[in-house]
Amino acid sequence: MINYTLKQLYSFEAVVRLKSFTKASKTLNITQPAVYMQIQQLSQNIGAELLNTKGKTVTPTYIGTKLYQTCLRIIATLEQSKADIEQTLHPDSGHLEITATTTTNAFVSRILAQFKKQHPKMTFHLEVTNRKLLLEKLSNHNANLVIMGEPPADMPLTTQPFMENPLIAISHPDHPLLKNQHNSIKALRRETLITREQGSGTRMTIERTLGMKFNSEIEINSNEAIIEAVQAGLGVGFVSKHTVQLELKNNIIKQLNVDKLPIIRHWHVVHNAKIQLSPIAQRFKDFIIENG
């Protein structure tokens, strides 16, 4: 019979997720030797090696990978039970783990502030990250709710659009194309185009909708840096209009009139379909949808 404790499972999950004993110990607030001991005991109880160590990097073995998936399910169930009990005892409190794509900086904090005014006892942790890490969190059940652009079609997700997300082209205020009432896609292809990294939702939407590939090697992993590059006259950028309201208002940059633009997308509130939302998470989801 295989025996293991919750301490061992939490330690193993943290080590695999963070790929490091040191990072796991900091997350769990215990010493690194204590984490190592928990993993050793777990390995002995199961009767198989669970981790491969190469330098400072730790990866799971085949059996370790199987156990990691079990850990995720067990921990998710325990955390859900804890949240449900807390919500039953204190309906207006609770904790939210929210992950949002970097483009939502312009509004997600404002939404949270409005929600917290209605539920002052609730707490939350907001992580703003790129699409790749965001999808990992959805897959690993490491976020109650995710706020993002286009959700992936190949994951078991529950998604709800709540607000329009216009994607526009921006330029320096002295750019020659601003003289034209309309610019063709062909004219745009002759410009230096600045966009997000490969795999970003913005880039995929531009390439699919406009039927074009980007003609420069300039890739920037934040909208703020794209805006700064456009301000410097480096080229034409593509951003969500929500991220540049202040810059447009103050004429720091200008919106270009281009065929097929703006592309009207939507922001979505998303969670893994396999989990049941806690009462406070469900209230926040409803709040976003009602006030989007």
Side-chain angles (χ1 to χ4, degrees):
M1 179 181 295
I2 297 175
N3 296 311
Y4 41 70
T5 67
L6 289 178
K7 283 186 177 180
Q8 292 169 358
L9 295 182
Y10 272 97
S11 296
F12 181 71
E13 185 276 334
V15 169
V16 173
R17 172 166 49 88
L18 300 171
K19 300 180 175 64
S20 165
F21 281 94
T22 302
K23 292 178 180 178
S25 68
K26 291 179 180 179
T27 298
L28 297 169
N29 291 318
I30 59 177
T31 65
Q32 185 173 333
V35 175
Y36 184 79
M37 182 183 69
Q38 295 292 342
I39 302 300
Q40 285 293 97
Q41 291 175 348
L42 181 61
S43 180
Q44 290 171 6
N45 291 340
I46 291 176
E49 291 295 328
L50 302 176
L51 298 172
N52 295 313
T53 303
K54 186 177 181 181
K56 295 183 178 180
T57 303
V58 180
T59 57
T61 62
Y62 176 78
I63 293 178
T65 300
K66 296 290 185 182
L67 181 63
Y68 180 64
Q69 297 302 320
T70 300
C71 286
L72 291 177
R73 291 193 294 271
I74 291 173
I75 292 172
T77 300
L78 289 171
E79 294 299 318
Q80 183 65 54
S81 176
K82 177 182 175 182
D84 289 345
I85 292 171
E86 179 68 22
Q87 286 293 300
T88 301
L89 296 174
H90 308 286
D92 288 327
S93 65
H95 181 74
L96 277 176
E97 288 287 337
I98 304 165
T99 304
T101 183
T102 52
T103 320
T104 65
N105 278 343
F107 64 85
V108 69
S109 295
R110 185 173 68 251
I111 291 175
L112 276 165
Q114 292 169 351
F115 183 72
K116 189 163 176 58
K117 285 181 181 179
Q118 297 184 13
H119 304 278
K121 294 181 180 180
M122 64 86 67
T123 61
F124 64 86
H125 174 257
L126 171 64
E127 181 172 356
V128 180
T129 187
N130 61 35
R131 183 178 177 88
K132 180 181 177 182
L133 294 178
L134 184 148
L135 294 180
E136 287 181 8
K137 283 187 169 289
L138 273 175
S139 178
N140 295 334
H141 304 182
N142 286 332
N144 300 128
L145 291 170
V146 166
I147 300 174
M148 64 185 301
E150 184 176 349
D154 58 349
M155 291 179 67
L157 302 175
T158 298
T159 72
Q160 178 68 48
F162 65 90
M163 185 168 65
E164 286 190 350
N165 174 24
L167 184 61
I168 63 172
I170 57 173
S171 71
H172 187 276
D174 296 330
H175 199 286
L177 290 182
L178 288 170
K179 299 176 182 178
N180 305 326
Q181 288 188 344
H182 295 284
N183 291 286
S184 66
I185 302 300
K186 184 178 180 180
L188 204 61
R189 288 195 181 105
R190 293 193 288 265
E191 301 297 320
T192 299
L193 304 178
I194 306 168
T195 187
R196 294 291 299 272
E197 70 280 4
Q198 290 277 0
S200 77
T202 297
R203 184 176 184 129
M204 290 190 295
T205 300
I206 287 291
E207 291 182 338
R208 180 177 65 247
T209 306
L210 301 188
M212 59 187 291
K213 294 291 182 180
F214 285 89
N215 60 0
S216 76
E217 296 181 355
I218 301 174
E219 294 182 7
I220 300 178
N221 66 355
S222 79
N223 294 297
E224 291 81 4
I226 289 176
I227 296 166
E228 290 175 4
V230 170
Q231 287 178 239
L234 193 57
V236 173
F238 296 90
V239 294
S240 167
K241 193 169 184 176
H242 289 135
T243 66
V244 291
Q245 297 282 14
L246 186 61
E247 289 84 357
L248 290 173
K249 182 178 179 179
N250 292 307
N251 294 317
I252 296 172
I253 57 173
K254 290 285 190 178
Q255 179 177 343
L256 276 176
N257 292 321
V258 180
D259 293 342
K260 298 186 179 180
L261 291 180
I263 299 169
I264 304 299
R265 304 181 298 174
H266 286 83
W267 295 114
H268 294 77
V269 57
V270 182
H271 63 86
N272 195 300
K274 296 180 180 179
I275 67 170
Q276 180 181 357
L277 293 179
S278 67
I280 196 68
Q282 185 63 55
R283 288 186 184 185
F284 183 60
K285 178 181 177 180
D286 294 341
F287 181 83
I288 292 174
I289 295 169
E290 291 170 6
N291 295 277

